[in-house]
């Protein structure tokens, strides 16, 4: 007799929340409580698996809640007092091209906190705490949402501050991320826009501390939850590794085969979806039923707020730089599309 698996209470709660959202009566606060409980039990992968199975609208809704759940915590206090939050945000900053080795990327946390308070227009009251180094995408590749949540929870309970990352790694992209916390904020949101003057002043103030930052204020956007920065950084690293692996296999082919090989880049149609990306190498002289001569492993990326073409565009540019000139971008659509 086959055994029947009964979902645990948190899994059932997550299912109920998703079903409630489908019927337009979801409870965002309850959803955040459930997602935080899942993160605290080290079950982040289960939530990401659910995201991969949802449609575009539902996945984007759930990821927004997941980002808020991992990067905002209610500070415990008198139940009669107004709620106060600890919130972790990130600013994405452009870097100069030729960075020194080893990386410096150090900033003055006190000066930078004052800079953020002024130009993000943070009201008096919340304490602004800044990570003393800019973090690269390859550094963030080692983080998880649970680690972000644990770090913020420690800050909210007045524990001694520990650095988010143990050491820096050379960036894949020419960007780095400034992580900061607002301790005692009146709500869990972050500023939604940046005026041109504030962007210019932020860049000038940060360049004075860290000359590795590029003078490109037009590339700076409003801060987002640190979870978005983490996933954007990990997307870049994973896609570059995929392109490197594909190019390495392509280079190892015999010259006649390499000259006619077509690289198929597979991406999924949709924004706000946790999705697989992979590559195939095809030899057009082989019969169709032969299939690809090599297929890469799946690389999972999250496409929140990114154009559909972005993964294919990044992979194409990297492969072109390596000498691959024959490729096709295949959009893998859901059956209902």
């Amino acid at each position: 007799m086959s055994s029947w698996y009964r979902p645990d209470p948190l899994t059932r709660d997550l299912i109920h929340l998703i079903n409630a959202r489908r019927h337009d009566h979801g409870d965002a606060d309850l959803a955040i409580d459930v997602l935080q409980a899942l993160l605290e039990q080290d079950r982040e992968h289960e939530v990401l698996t659910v995201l991969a199975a949802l449609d575009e609208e539902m996945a984007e809704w759930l990821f927004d809640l997941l980002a808020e759940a991992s990067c905002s915590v209610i500070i415990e206090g008198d139940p009669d007092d107004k709620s106060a939050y600890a919130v972790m945000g990130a600013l994405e900053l452009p870097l100069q091209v030729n960075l020194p080795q080893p990386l410096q990327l150090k900033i003055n946390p006190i000066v930078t906190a004052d800079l953020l308070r002024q130009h993000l227009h943070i009201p008096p009251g919340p304490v602004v705490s800044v990570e003393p180094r800019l973090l690269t995408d390859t550094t963030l590749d080692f983080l998880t949402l649970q680690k972000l949540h644990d770090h913020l929870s420690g800050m909210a309970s007045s524990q001694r501050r520990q650095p988010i990352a143990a050491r820096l790694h050379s960036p894949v992209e020419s960007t780095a991320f400034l992580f900061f916390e607002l301790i005692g904020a009146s709500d869990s949101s972050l500023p939604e826009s940046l005026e041109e003057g504030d962007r210019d002043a932020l860049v000038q103030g940060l360049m004075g501390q860290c000359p590795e930052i590029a003078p490109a204020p037009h590339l700076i956007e409003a801060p987002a939850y640190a979870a978005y920065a983490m996933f954007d950084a990990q997307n870049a690293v994973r896609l570059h590794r995929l392109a490197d692996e594909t190019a390495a296999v392509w280079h190892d082919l015999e010259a006649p085969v390499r000259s006619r090989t077509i690289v198929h880049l597979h991406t999924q149609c949709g924004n706000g979806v946790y999705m697989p990306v992979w590559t195939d190498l095809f030899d057009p002289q082989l019969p169709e039923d032969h299939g690809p001569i090599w297929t890469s492993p799946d690389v999972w990326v999250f496409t929140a707020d990114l154009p559909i073409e972005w993964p294919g565009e990044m992979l194409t540019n990297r492969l072109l730089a390596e000498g691959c000139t024959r490729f096709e971008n295949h959009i893998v659509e859901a059956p209902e599309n």
Side-chain angles (χ1 to χ4, degrees):
M1 181 177 177
S2 62
S3 60
W4 181 69
Y5 170 70
R6 181 178 178 82
D8 69 281
L10 275 180
T11 302
R12 292 201 301 272
D13 287 344
L14 183 60
I15 293 169
H16 291 325
L17 290 166
I18 291 171
N19 288 335
R21 168 68 179 184
R22 291 189 194 279
H23 295 91
D24 297 323
H25 56 83
D27 186 332
D29 290 338
L30 178 58
I32 288 174
D33 289 343
V34 171
L35 291 170
Q36 286 178 336
L38 287 164
L39 290 177
E40 289 163 1
Q41 292 185 12
D42 193 18
R43 295 170 62 180
E44 175 180 330
H45 183 72
E46 292 180 35
V47 183
L48 295 179
T49 302
V50 171
L51 275 167
L54 295 175
D55 61 44
E56 179 178 332
E57 181 182 356
M58 291 293 294
E60 194 158 12
W61 163 79
L62 185 58
F63 186 80
D64 286 340
L65 290 176
L66 183 60
E68 184 174 349
S70 60
C71 296
S72 66
V73 177
I74 293 182
I75 299 174
E76 297 294 336
D78 191 327
D80 296 330
D81 292 340
K82 194 172 182 180
S83 296
Y85 296 83
V87 184
M88 186 187 299
L91 273 174
E92 185 173 351
L93 301 169
L95 294 177
Q96 302 278 3
V97 176
N98 297 315
L99 296 176
Q101 294 290 339
L103 294 174
Q104 301 299 319
L105 301 182
K106 294 180 180 178
I107 55 175
N108 184 314
I110 297 175
V111 173
T112 304
D114 291 339
L115 198 66
L116 292 178
R117 183 181 295 280
Q118 179 180 355
H119 297 292
L120 297 183
H121 303 284
I122 299 168
V127 174
V128 183
S129 181
V130 176
E131 195 69 17
R133 295 184 302 180
L134 302 181
L135 303 177
T136 64
D137 42 24
T138 41
T139 301
L140 295 178
D141 189 41
F142 294 90
L143 285 183
T144 63
L145 295 177
Q146 184 195 17
K147 288 180 180 178
L148 293 182
H149 179 68
D150 290 346
H151 176 85
L152 189 60
S153 298
M155 295 286 291
S157 58
S158 301
Q159 295 178 20
R160 184 177 178 180
R161 182 187 181 94
Q162 299 293 329
I164 289 179
R167 63 192 182 98
L168 295 177
H169 301 268
S170 299
V172 163
E173 294 285 83
S174 55
T175 56
F177 299 87
L178 189 161
F179 273 41
F180 64 94
E181 295 91 15
L182 305 180
I183 311 298
S186 58
D187 60 56
S188 60
S189 61
L190 291 165
E192 295 181 356
S193 62
L194 271 176
E195 298 294 332
E196 183 177 352
D198 290 319
R199 288 201 304 266
D200 293 344
L202 276 171
V203 169
Q204 291 302 320
L206 292 169
M207 284 177 59
Q209 305 173 53
C210 182
E212 287 84 357
I213 295 174
H218 62 285
L219 296 178
I220 297 181
E221 299 179 353
Y225 288 121
Y228 281 100
M230 189 192 83
F231 273 90
D232 282 350
Q234 292 178 353
N235 284 350
V237 172
R238 290 164 185 167
L239 290 171
H240 270 264
R241 287 176 179 162
L242 175 60
D244 286 341
E245 185 175 9
T246 303
V249 174
W250 178 81
H251 279 298
D252 285 342
L253 296 174
E254 295 182 1
V257 178
R258 185 167 64 241
S259 66
R260 63 177 184 258
T261 295
I262 301 173
V263 182
H264 284 196
L265 314 175
H266 299 274
T267 61
Q268 184 171 319
C269 181
N271 190 37
V273 179
Y274 193 64
M275 69 180 194
V277 180
W278 73 95
T279 59
D280 290 329
L281 300 183
F282 276 93
D283 182 348
Q285 289 193 4
L286 294 174
E288 289 187 8
D289 59 0
H290 181 277
I293 55 178
W294 178 80
T295 297
S296 74
D298 288 351
V299 170
W300 287 81
V301 301
F302 193 82
T303 63
D305 302 323
L306 296 172
I308 294 169
E309 297 82 3
W310 180 78
E313 180 183 1
M314 171 176 277
L315 282 165
T316 298
N317 290 339
R318 289 283 292 111
L319 293 169
L320 278 171
E322 293 295 333
C324 302
T325 57
R326 294 166 58 84
F327 52 84
E328 298 174 0
N329 189 14
H330 292 257
I331 303 296
V332 182
E333 298 195 24
E336 58 269 22
N337 291 339

